[in-house]
Amino acid sequence: MDNSEISNARIAILVFPFAAQHLFDWTSKVSQVVTSVAARTFVVSGGIPATVVWPDGVTVRDVGVRLHYLRERKPTWLSALLWIGKALAAQILMAVEVFKLRDQIDGIFCAMGIYYQLPILVARLLNKKVLSASMGLYALNAKLSYGEVMAAFTSLLTRLSFALSHLVIVESFQLGTYKDLVPFHSKLCNGALFLEAPERFGITVPVSRREEQIGFIGRLVEEKGILDFIRAIPLVLEHRPALQILIVGTGILDATVETALADQPWASHVRWIRRVDHAQIPEVMNKLKLLVVPSSDEGLPNIILEAMGCGTPVLATAAG
């Protein structure tokens, strides 16, 4: 595809309507790039938060269905059935939207996730181009959170989605060594990360003048490693008894984190802030002497780039 074809392309960005807000925020950033080169841009999703800001020229089509966090409703079996029902409904409704847009688009871009089989199939039958974004190791994530059965099912969905896609974007080609991506090596293309308003991320307080404080910033979910972080706190305090710990974030493990911190003799060292506006992250980062990123499946989270911009050292797992 040459430059003239790209500039004349009409793209529908599909966003599977997960409960997490960050997926919509990420897609908003991606749409800024797409609208800068495409002739027309659509966004198709469900239950889109009103707080998400879309660039001028984006047409939003809300299918009206949004999933919930699986563990936030009881009993678990009923929550799982409801989640599956919503997921199927979302796929069907997004597939219908792709069909309705058949004369207005040249291709679809499937944002983070692998639950796009029906929309992708419709797009391929309509002879549209399909680009998918793989921003993590989905089967591994499912294994850590829900066990082997869900991991096997997720692996199947991953392979099916990418088999039907023309191209697959990865954060790093290193992810291509994972078993679910190896068969599609010829389709992989490297997707550059970018920061929102990078000029905000600078050093306002030198590390040498910051208090003895380390922190975790991110969603409280299994794959982010928050429980490993908490388990490490008393071990670290044995060697650095004056150290202060900051946790910033919320998620499906809120109750688990509350339990883990309850009645612990070292809990007075821990401050937990559930919600911080993204514009305040530089201020928070400039108070840390170390950011800990114990993630199990991310290639290069934006929070690491933001920490680097603020001169904050990062301790991260060798993942992705």
Side-chain angles (χ1 to χ4, degrees):
M1 181 177 286
D2 59 32
N3 290 337
S4 62
E5 288 178 303
I6 293 174
S7 62
N8 290 322
R10 301 166 299 170
I11 306 297
I13 303 174
L14 273 56
V15 190
F16 196 73
F18 289 111
Q21 168 83 25
H22 82 282
L23 177 59
F24 296 96
D25 293 333
W26 182 88
T27 307
S28 173
K29 296 177 184 179
V30 170
S31 68
Q32 295 175 28
V33 177
V34 175
T35 55
S36 69
V37 296
R40 190 165 186 191
T41 306
F42 296 88
V43 171
V44 179
S45 188
I48 301 173
T51 54
V52 179
V53 178
W54 303 103
D56 293 339
V58 171
T59 301
V60 178
R61 298 173 75 103
D62 195 320
V63 299
V65 175
R66 188 174 176 188
L67 280 68
H68 58 280
Y69 287 113
L70 193 60
R71 290 173 175 165
E72 75 177 3
R73 301 190 181 184
K74 302 297 181 182
T76 303
W77 65 268
L78 183 58
S79 179
L81 287 177
L82 181 59
W83 193 97
I84 292 171
K86 287 181 178 180
L88 289 173
Q91 281 222 30
I92 293 171
L93 291 170
M94 285 195 296
V96 169
E97 287 298 320
V98 171
F99 182 77
K100 288 180 178 179
L101 291 170
R102 63 191 181 277
D103 295 327
Q104 302 179 63
I105 61 173
D106 301 300
I108 65 172
F109 172 69
C110 301
M112 291 190 294
I114 53 169
Y115 300 95
Y116 296 98
Q117 288 73 29
L118 289 180
I120 290 176
L121 183 59
V122 170
R124 290 301 301 262
L125 291 174
L126 294 170
N127 199 31
K128 307 297 182 182
K129 296 295 184 181
V130 177
L131 177 63
S132 295
S134 174
M135 297 303 179
L137 303 177
Y138 301 114
L140 177 59
N141 180 5
K143 180 180 179 180
L144 291 170
S145 299
Y146 305 111
E148 294 285 355
V149 174
M150 182 59 77
F153 180 65
T154 303
S155 177
L156 176 63
L157 292 180
T158 300
R159 292 169 181 255
L160 183 57
S161 289
F162 297 161
L164 291 171
S165 300
H166 290 94
L167 288 174
V168 179
I169 294 179
V170 291
E171 287 184 337
S172 165
F173 283 128
Q174 182 66 24
L175 291 175
T177 62
Y178 188 64
K179 62 180 182 179
D180 285 336
L181 287 174
V182 167
F184 313 108
H185 189 268
S186 62
K187 296 183 177 183
L188 301 185
C189 54
N190 201 15
L193 294 173
F194 60 95
L195 297 179
E196 179 184 2
E199 67 278 359
R200 288 207 305 257
F201 294 91
I203 302 173
T204 57
V205 181
V207 173
S208 60
R209 287 170 38 201
R210 300 177 190 178
E211 296 180 2
E212 293 293 307
Q213 181 172 231
I214 67 173
F216 170 98
I217 302 175
R219 290 177 296 121
L220 303 191
V221 294
E222 187 79 26
E223 63 269 23
K224 289 284 190 179
I226 178 59
L227 299 183
D228 290 331
F229 179 78
I230 291 174
R231 281 190 285 266
I233 291 175
L235 303 178
V236 174
L237 289 175
E238 288 180 7
H239 301 279
R240 302 290 291 271
L243 194 66
Q244 296 299 307
I245 315 294
L246 177 65
I247 297 174
V248 177
T250 186
I252 61 175
L253 294 182
D254 280 4
T256 305
V257 170
E258 286 178 356
T259 301
L261 296 177
D263 302 323
Q264 295 294 339
W266 43 263
S268 60
H269 290 261
V270 181
R271 185 162 64 106
W272 179 13
I273 304 175
R274 301 202 182 203
R275 296 188 185 278
V276 169
D277 188 88
H278 189 258
Q280 296 176 293
I281 291 298
E283 178 184 349
V284 173
M285 203 71 77
N286 271 274
K287 294 179 180 179
L288 298 179
K289 278 204 167 178
L290 179 72
L291 176 73
V292 181
V293 184
S295 175
S296 64
D297 75 338
E298 293 176 281
L300 181 56
N302 273 15
I303 196 68
I304 289 181
L305 302 180
E306 293 169 351
M308 293 171 69
C310 296
T312 302
V314 177
L315 174 63
T317 48

